[in-house]
């Protein structure tokens, strides 16, 4: 019950955070524009095409929504000292972390569901078919992807004692998992390839390096997982990829990113000296 009480109190705070709604509004705007212009002057517009495009945009925008909504959830209260009041009630440190995660997850999920609901209305009005199976698959995978970044942000917030450190941790995580794993040539994966293949001569395949990339980046895991939602003809992922790059495995990777940061945050916050 204390977890729910923390979540209810926290919801009153996070719903007033204008920056969260601003970033979420940008995502919704992209969604509306894609579905509007996707059917303009097109003889047979396809919902699949717009959903495929929005997964690419969401791969970059959704981490921002999730991180912005959650990175100060605990660190902000620790810096202001209000965490002592929160813990003076019959709340444990565990209930604080889990309650904050529930609240921020609900806010981010609500923003995503609202965006896709608008898209569904537009699809029913302007497109020949909603293509409900693809639509539902993309929504489910996108929500799971968003929750991984909420979990990371909560974990960072629970492990840090100040706003500046939490912000630095969130920015650093986004930079490493999105920028340094995506850029060709200059990236963490290029460094791994140099060490494994040039220095150690281990002969790690490109598929193996891609698996490392997916392990290091929820964004890459999400990208591979979307193969579960789209037909083979348009998901852009080769059909002959090894089993460890298949969509089902990528869902497991995303679930790991959902659980591990929260567990680490619980461990670190439980050991923290709150003064």
């Amino acid at each position: 019950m204390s977890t729910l009480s923390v979540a209810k109190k926290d919801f009153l705070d996070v719903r007033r955070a204008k920056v969260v709604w601003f970033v979420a509004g940008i995502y919704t705007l992209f969604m509306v524009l894609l579905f509007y212009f996707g059917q303009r002057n097109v003889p047979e517009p396809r919902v699949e095409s717009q959903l495929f495009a929005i997964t690419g945009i969401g791969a970059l925008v959704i981490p921002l929504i999730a991180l912005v909504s959650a990175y100060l959830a605990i660190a902000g209260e620790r810096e202001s000292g209000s965490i002592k009041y929160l813990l003076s009630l019959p709340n444990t440190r565990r209930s604080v972390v889990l309650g904050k995660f529930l609240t921020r997850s609900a806010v981010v999920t609500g923003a995503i569901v609202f965006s896709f609901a608008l898209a569904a209305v537009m699809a029913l009005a302007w497109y020949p078919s909603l293509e409900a199976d693809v639509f539902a698959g993309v929504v489910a995978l996108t929500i799971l992807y968003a929750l991984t970044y909420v979990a990371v942000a909560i974990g960072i917030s629970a492990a840090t004692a100040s706003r500046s450190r939490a912000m630095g941790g969130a920015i650093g995580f986004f930079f490493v998992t999105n920028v340094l794993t995506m850029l060709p040539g200059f990236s963490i994966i290029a460094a791994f390839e140099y060490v494994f293949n040039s220095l150690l001569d281990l002969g790690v395949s490109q598929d193996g390096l891609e698996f490392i990339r997916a392990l290091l980046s929820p964004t890459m895991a999400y990208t591979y997982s979307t193969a579960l939602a789209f037909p083979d003809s348009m998901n852009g992922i080769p059909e002959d990829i090894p089993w460890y790059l298949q969509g089902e495995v990528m869902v497991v990777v995303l679930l790991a990113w959902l659980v591990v940061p929260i567990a680490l945050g619980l461990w670190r916050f439980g050991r923290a000296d709150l003064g």
Side-chain angles (χ1 to χ4, degrees), residues 184-229:
F186 180 74
S187 70
I188 292 177
I189 303 306
F192 274 114
E193 183 176 15
Y194 175 75
V195 172
F196 290 157
N197 294 341
S198 297
L199 293 183
L200 302 178
D201 196 24
L202 296 178
V204 178
S205 67
Q206 286 300 315
D207 287 334
L209 292 170
E210 281 299 301
F211 182 62
I212 294 173
R213 190 196 301 267
L215 289 178
L216 294 176
S217 171
T219 300
M220 285 305 304
Y222 169 65
T223 300
Y224 275 106
S225 73
T226 56
L228 296 173

Side-chain angles (χ1 to χ4, degrees), residues 12-272:
L12 298 176
D13 298 331
V14 72
R15 72 178 184 180
R16 293 192 290 265
K18 295 180 181 179
V19 66
V20 175
W21 301 118
F22 175 74
V23 180
I26 293 176
Y27 180 67
T28 303
L29 178 61
F30 276 124
M31 185 84 74
V32 171
L33 291 176
L34 275 175
F35 274 81
Y36 175 72
F37 288 105
Q39 52 83 38
R40 298 273 293 177
N41 302 318
V42 178
E44 295 183 4
R46 297 180 62 191
V47 169
E48 288 176 349
S49 300
Q50 312 318 317
L51 291 174
F52 186 75
I54 202 63
T55 58
I57 294 172
L60 295 177
V61 176
I62 285 176
L64 298 179
I65 299 174
L67 292 173
V68 166
S69 71
Y71 81 97
L72 288 180
I74 299 171
E77 297 215 35
R78 287 181 66 179
E79 185 173 85
S80 67
S82 60
I83 192 70
K84 297 179 182 178
Y85 167 75
L86 189 59
L87 288 172
S88 68
L89 301 172
N91 299 323
T92 63
R93 297 190 185 198
R94 177 176 176 272
S95 65
V96 168
V97 173
L98 296 181
K100 298 280 189 177
F101 173 71
L102 286 177
T103 301
R104 309 305 163 120
S105 295
V107 169
V108 172
T109 299
I112 292 172
V113 169
F114 175 75
S115 297
F116 276 102
L118 281 181
V121 172
M122 297 172 73
L124 290 171
W126 294 330
Y127 289 75
S129 171
L130 179 62
E131 300 172 38
D133 54 340
V134 178
F135 209 102
V138 172
V139 172
L141 290 170
T142 301
I143 290 174
L144 175 59
Y145 172 55
L147 295 186
T148 64
Y149 272 94
V150 174
V152 167
I154 291 293
I156 291 172
S157 192
T160 52
S162 67
R163 292 171 177 263
S164 59
R165 291 181 180 178
M167 180 181 293
I171 293 173
F173 185 84
F174 179 83
F175 184 76
V176 170
T177 60
N178 284 272
V179 178
L180 288 185
T181 57
M182 302 294 179
L183 292 177
F186 180 74
S187 70
I188 292 177
I189 303 306
F192 274 114
E193 183 176 15
Y194 175 75
V195 172
F196 290 157
N197 294 341
S198 297
L199 293 183
L200 302 178
D201 196 24
L202 296 178
V204 178
S205 67
Q206 286 300 315
D207 287 334
L209 292 170
E210 281 299 301
F211 182 62
I212 294 173
R213 190 196 301 267
L215 289 178
L216 294 176
S217 171
T219 300
M220 285 305 304
Y222 169 65
T223 300
Y224 275 106
S225 73
T226 56
L228 296 173
F230 294 105
D232 294 338
S233 60
M234 69 172 301
N235 61 35
I237 298 174
E239 296 182 19
D240 59 346
I241 58 174
W243 65 269
Y244 49 81
L245 290 177
Q246 298 287 341
E248 293 85 353
V249 176
M250 293 299 105
V251 169
V252 174
V253 172
L254 288 173
L255 290 173
W257 273 109
L258 180 64
V259 173
V260 173
I262 292 292
L264 292 176
L266 282 168
W267 173 75
R268 186 67 182 87
F269 189 54
R271 294 166 57 90

